[in-house]
Amino acid sequence: MQSAESSNKDSIPVGSLGIVALDSCRQLGEKIDKYIVKWRSDREHKHSSSPELEEYCRDTYLIRTSSPRFGSGEGKGIVHDSVRGADLYLLVDVCNYNITYTMNGIVNYMSPDDHFEDLKRVIAAIGGKARRINVIMPFLYESRQNKPHERESLDCAIALQELVSMGVENIITFDAHDPRVQNAIPIHGFESVQPVYQFIKGLYKAASDFDISSDKLIIVSPDENGAHRAIYMANVLGVDMGMFYKRRDYSAIVNGAHPVVAHEFLGAEVAGKDVVIVDDMISSGDSVLEVAAELKRRKANRIFICSTFGLFTNGLEKFDDAYDKGIFHSLLTTNLVYQTPELLSRPYYTGCDLSKFLALIIDTLNHDGSMSELLNPMDRINKFLAKRRK
């Protein structure tokens, strides 16, 4: 990653930086804030004497907000600090199910719908006083519903249109289930970032003897929709890739989807090789564990599961059981969504921290800098691998 101390030192920021970390993203927002505070306090800015940089270096860039609820369950958004003329970055984790509110004396856990409504409430409370509003939503709200099979709603496209209609200029997300959803807002900023660099670093953390050789490693996609992730990672590392495709029973629907009948594999031989399964999300975990078990039946060596979002909607017991049976070696996810203490304590788990990367994205966008180098991690990956080879 480029040196933050030496970058963004020649340009004037778009506006005074403000980071709005909603309750769902509070911890991640605090880590991002610490990075930017340090970088800007150490940075020798070319225009340091300019009045426009009067608030460039601060003790914190976090803007205090809250989203209280009435006894009926209705909510409102409150902004407690001045945001006039600010360049705001709103952080929200719509998958954080650990936050509760009380309605009619009953404790409810917040759903993705609740988090998205709170985001809109805070934007409404800003009231158009900010110079620019940017939303960082790592897990894109309703992104799994990306195409209608019958007469179905396209909630993600509608949500994006709602945000831009409220004045949001840029939306930053990670590993969108289908990035083509940005066609719903074609003249507004939309970036879907891939955490490949962080996964590669995490793999070496999970196994110090991890070997990137074409005869010892293969990258596998658990389904056809995510093949582009495996292709990209395989090309970056110079190894083979494989893909499973799902045979489904289209005559039935279970939990909102057609059930998988079997996983069929296409690709190079996996016997004796380490395998990296790369996907955008783990929901229940059934599919990825079935794929891992199938790879083991094909005599694969160690299996590493990399997923941007670890939702674990059915708990961790099946992962514990699969690990005990030797089906997989390590499980890697990011801190872009809520992580339970139970997950963090598992011996097979390795977390990939994206807070520094997000801080660099925010710092760069605040200076209206180019995102090209951040969106293409090839240079950072090559430098990291060169260090490992030494």
Side-chain angles (χ1 to χ4, degrees), residues 20 61 87 90 114 116 156 180 196 203 251 264 271 274 288 317 342 364-365 386:
V20 179
Y61 298 93
D87 185 26
L90 282 70
D114 293 321
F116 185 69
C156 184
R180 292 175 298 180
V196 176
L203 288 167
S251 65
E264 306 289 352
D274 285 345
V288 72
E317 288 75 14
E342 292 76 20
T364 300
L365 284 177

Side-chain angles (χ1 to χ4, degrees), residues 106-355:
I106 301 172
V107 176
N108 288 330
Y109 287 88
M110 290 188 67
S111 69
D113 292 345
D114 293 321
H115 288 300
F116 185 69
E117 290 303 316
D118 276 356
L119 171 66
K120 293 196 295 181
R121 290 179 178 117
V122 171
I123 294 173
I126 292 168
K129 300 301 185 293
R131 180 165 300 178
R132 186 172 67 174
I133 298 177
N134 312 271
V135 168
I136 298 178
M137 186 185 297
F139 186 95
L140 189 60
Y141 174 70
E142 293 287 3
S143 56
R144 298 169 74 177
Q145 180 57 29
N146 58 339
K147 54 184 180 290
H149 296 286
E150 301 174 31
R151 194 173 294 278
E152 299 175 349
S153 61
L154 292 178
D155 297 55
C156 184
I158 295 171
L160 293 177
Q161 292 173 351
E162 279 188 285
L163 291 178
V164 299
S165 71
M166 296 182 74
V168 175
E169 291 194 27
N170 296 302
I171 297 172
I172 309 295
T173 189
F174 281 78
D175 213 347
H177 195 66
D178 188 346
R180 292 175 298 180
V181 73
Q182 65 186 292
N183 291 333
I185 50 169
I187 60 174
H188 289 81
F190 181 96
E191 299 292 350
S192 177
V193 186
Q194 298 288 335
V196 176
Y197 172 61
Q198 288 76 14
F199 278 146
I200 292 174
K201 291 176 65 177
L203 288 167
Y204 278 99
K205 184 179 177 182
S208 58
D209 61 341
F210 188 73
D211 189 354
I212 298 178
S213 304
S214 58
D215 60 336
K216 295 183 179 180
L217 179 68
I218 184 171
I219 312 299
V220 169
S221 171
D223 56 45
E224 61 276 21
N225 292 329
H228 64 280
R229 298 182 189 89
I231 291 171
Y232 181 74
M233 188 179 233
N235 287 340
V236 166
L237 298 178
V239 299
D240 291 329
M241 68 82 61
M243 180 194 77
F244 282 87
Y245 69 91
K246 299 175 181 177
R247 278 200 291 121
R248 295 181 180 272
D249 179 5
Y250 287 100
S251 65
I253 295 179
V254 178
N255 293 329
H258 299 292
V260 177
V261 177
H263 294 272
E264 306 289 352
F265 183 70
L266 299 173
E269 181 64 47
V270 301
K273 296 181 181 179
D274 285 345
V275 179
V276 176
I277 302 174
V278 59
D279 204 1
D280 61 336
M281 74 178 76
I282 295 174
S283 184
S284 67
D286 290 338
S287 292
V288 72
L289 290 178
E290 288 173 11
V291 165
E294 179 61 31
L295 289 168
K296 274 297 182 182
R297 283 193 285 271
R298 295 171 179 267
K299 309 300 182 184
N301 189 25
R302 297 178 299 184
I303 293 179
F304 301 84
I305 301 172
C306 294
S307 178
T308 307
F309 307 108
L311 306 182
F312 305 107
T313 55
N314 291 356
L316 296 170
E317 288 75 14
K318 64 183 67 178
F319 287 90
D320 296 340
D321 184 56
Y323 177 71
D324 291 339
K325 292 178 179 177
I327 292 177
F328 72 94
H329 179 274
S330 297
L331 171 65
L332 294 80
T333 69
T334 73
N335 64 335
L336 294 172
V337 294
Y338 172 66
Q339 299 167 297
T340 64
E342 292 76 20
L343 174 65
L344 297 175
S345 68
R346 291 302 195 265
Y348 52 79
Y349 180 72
T350 299
C352 299
D353 188 359
L354 272 292
S355 58

Side-chain angles (χ1 to χ4, degrees), residues 68-135:
R69 297 268 175 168
F70 298 100
S72 60
E74 299 166 288
K76 63 179 177 180
I78 304 174
V79 178
H80 300 284
D81 298 320
S82 173
V83 294
R84 188 176 296 275
D87 185 26
L88 297 181
Y89 295 81
L90 282 70
L91 292 157
V92 60
D93 172 14
V94 298
C95 294
N96 191 336
Y97 58 87
N98 194 47
I99 300 176
T100 62
Y101 65 92
T102 302
M103 181 177 69
N104 296 324
I106 301 172
V107 176
N108 288 330
Y109 287 88
M110 290 188 67
S111 69
D113 292 345
D114 293 321
H115 288 300
F116 185 69
E117 290 303 316
D118 276 356
L119 171 66
K120 293 196 295 181
R121 290 179 178 117
V122 171
I123 294 173
I126 292 168
K129 300 301 185 293
R131 180 165 300 178
R132 186 172 67 174
I133 298 177
N134 312 271
V135 168

